[in-house]
Amino acid sequence: MMFPARRMRRSRSRNIQPMLQQTSLSTNDLVVPLFIDESISRKKPIGSMPDQVRYPIGGIGRVADGLWDHGLRAILLFGIPKKKDTGATAAYAENGVIQQAVREIKTVVPDMVVITDVCACEYTSHGHCGIIGTTRSGTDLLNDPSLELMNRIAVSHAEAGADVVAPSCMLDGMVASIRSALDGDGREDVLIMSYSTKFNSVFYGPFREAADSGYSFGDRSSYQINPANKREAFLESELDAKEGADILMVKPAGFYLDVLAEIATLGLPIAAFQVSGEYSMIKAAAQRGWIDEKEAVLESLTCIKRAGADLIISYFARDVAGWLDEVK
Ligand code: PBG
Ligand code: ZN
């Protein structure tokens, strides 16, 4: 019998395999999303996302400190304000939910990388990501007036102490606009992590309950990318790179790895957002005993990293940090 000279299984033996592993997860690469609710005084479970909670503002510094102790170095904040209106005024209020939270976190854990989601959908009464008005195609998100709003939100987050602002509204020109607003406020050192390639995805479903950001009419298809379009997805990130984004993002993550791999060729750091639906699907299957949660999470995140993500935003980040600790 003729055996092939190259036996692939040789390298898969128990002691050799770990040495040859190409991709590994590290707490340095993980970003923890946190929901902060201005109206509550104790943690509140999120029904659509098992084991995830909304936190009150008071004590959020200690929450961040606990993450720091697990080796986690970056958090992404979402705020749920007491009051919503058509202009999303609570989003840029000096004492808004995010502004207060950032100040508290920075007092307790100054080195934590604090990233803020810059969008209006949690703050508008209609639930859309900016200013609504009448356009050629009917009632829709107005681009340039919404940019003004994003500038104000981003600057107010930076003034509260955010290290990175993350615009997620998918407006044209949002990175250039926010960059010049930040620079005009003397915030040249604040990074922009752009949700540069954000698809119009059904997998944001569970997030709507988590962040109370469901919309009262229409959908987000006039600003978010059609999941079927790869060329458009690449161009969106390329434009944001040219506008000065420091970090690009692909969202959702798991079903969009081909897009992620292509965008990684732009030469900027890439973040991937494993979104609420990706989280809740794994949770739901694990709760029924249909898959092993830990293995499913580690595999999903390792594959996202293998595709080219430098950073991964995941609701599983805290669990992963614990599992990585066990290995050490
Ligand atoms: C706000 C925003 C959304 C998410 C992140 N920022 C919701 C949306 O665009 O509808 C989704 C995050 C998730 O599903 O985990 N624009
Ligand atoms: Zn939004």
Side-chain angles (χ1 to χ4, degrees):
M1 237 215 297
M2 266 292 287
F3 281 107
R6 182 163 307 284
R7 285 175 177 267
M8 295 302 287
R9 296 185 59 202
R10 247 194 314 260
S11 308
R12 290 182 198 134
S13 63
R14 204 173 250 291
N15 62 338
I16 301 292
Q17 192 169 146
M19 188 173 73
L20 299 181
Q21 177 164 322
Q22 274 190 279
T23 309
S24 303
L25 296 171
S26 152
T27 47
N28 273 323
D29 306 325
L30 298 173
V31 180
V32 188
L34 294 176
F35 298 101
I36 303 158
D37 186 337
E38 193 177 10
S39 308
I40 59 177
S41 50
R42 15 172 106 219
K43 284 195 286 190
K44 186 178 170 191
I46 298 165
S48 57
M49 300 177 70
D51 299 329
Q52 293 293 310
V53 297
R54 288 189 193 175
Y55 292 99
I57 301 171
I60 195 66
R62 257 182 294 119
V63 172
D65 199 35
L67 294 170
W68 183 271
D69 286 344
H70 272 86
L72 293 159
R73 298 291 176 256
I75 52 181
L76 171 61
L77 307 184
F78 295 98
I80 300 109
K82 262 192 190 131
K83 280 211 186 103
K84 303 177 189 247
D85 55 29
T86 52
T89 56
Y92 54 83
E94 201 191 327
N95 261 325
V97 51
I98 290 297
Q99 292 78 0
Q100 289 186 57
V102 171
R103 285 194 292 266
E104 181 174 332
I105 292 163
K106 279 293 182 182
T107 307
V108 180
V109 210
D111 287 339
M112 179 63 89
V113 177
V114 176
I115 311 173
T116 57
D117 187 83
V118 173
C119 204
C121 49
E122 294 107 1
Y123 302 86
T124 50
S125 37
H126 44 69
H128 281 286
C129 299
I131 305 293
I132 291 296
T134 308
T135 68
R136 191 162 48 87
S137 44
T139 305
D140 199 358
L141 191 66
L142 301 178
N143 199 83
D144 297 12
S146 299
L147 288 180
E148 293 293 320
L149 174 59
M150 297 310 147
N151 293 350
R152 296 181 78 159
I153 300 173
V155 167
S156 79
H157 289 177
E159 287 178 348
D163 300 280
V164 183
V165 293
S168 67
C169 48
M170 287 299 288
L171 295 166
D172 289 332
M174 71 180 183
V175 172
S177 174
I178 289 172
R179 183 72 270 158
S180 76
L182 289 172
D183 291 358
D185 196 57
R187 310 278 161 188
E188 300 85 358
D189 53 350
V190 171
L191 285 79
I192 298 179
M193 176 168 84
S194 177
Y195 285 71
S196 54
T197 290
K198 179 173 176 179
F199 290 94
N200 180 27
S201 174
V202 73
F203 295 103
Y204 309 150
F207 178 91
R208 306 262 148 85
E209 182 189 329
D212 190 28
S213 66
Y215 33 79
S216 56
F217 66 91
D219 56 31
R220 302 208 201 288
S221 61
S222 80
Y223 42 107
Q224 299 179 348
I225 307 167
N226 178 344
N229 292 354
K230 189 169 178 174
R231 207 162 40 218
E232 182 184 344
F234 183 80
L235 188 55
E236 280 280 7
S237 275
E238 191 179 39
L239 283 169
D240 285 10
K242 285 182 185 147
E243 289 179 26
D246 300 285
I247 303 169
L248 302 172
M249 192 200 299
V250 174
K251 175 180 175 231
F255 295 105
Y256 294 87
L257 297 185
D258 57 329
V259 174
L260 177 71
E262 206 170 295
I263 288 172
T265 66
L266 284 168
L268 281 178
I270 310 287
F273 198 147
Q274 184 181 52
V275 299
S276 57
E278 298 177 85
Y279 173 86
S280 295
M281 284 193 299
I282 292 176
K283 274 283 175 191
Q287 284 184 342
R288 284 163 182 73
W290 293 342
I291 54 168
D292 181 273
E293 179 170 340
K294 178 179 169 184
E295 296 302 322
V297 171
L298 292 175
E299 182 176 327
S300 69
L301 297 185
T302 301
C303 292
I304 291 167
K305 191 141 182 225
R306 186 204 62 221
D310 301 285
L311 301 174
I312 304 176
I313 303 155
S314 171
Y315 300 99
F316 290 114
R318 189 201 305 251
D319 298 325
V320 173
W323 297 328
L324 294 177
D325 262 352
E326 286 166 21
V327 179
K328 275 180 215 153

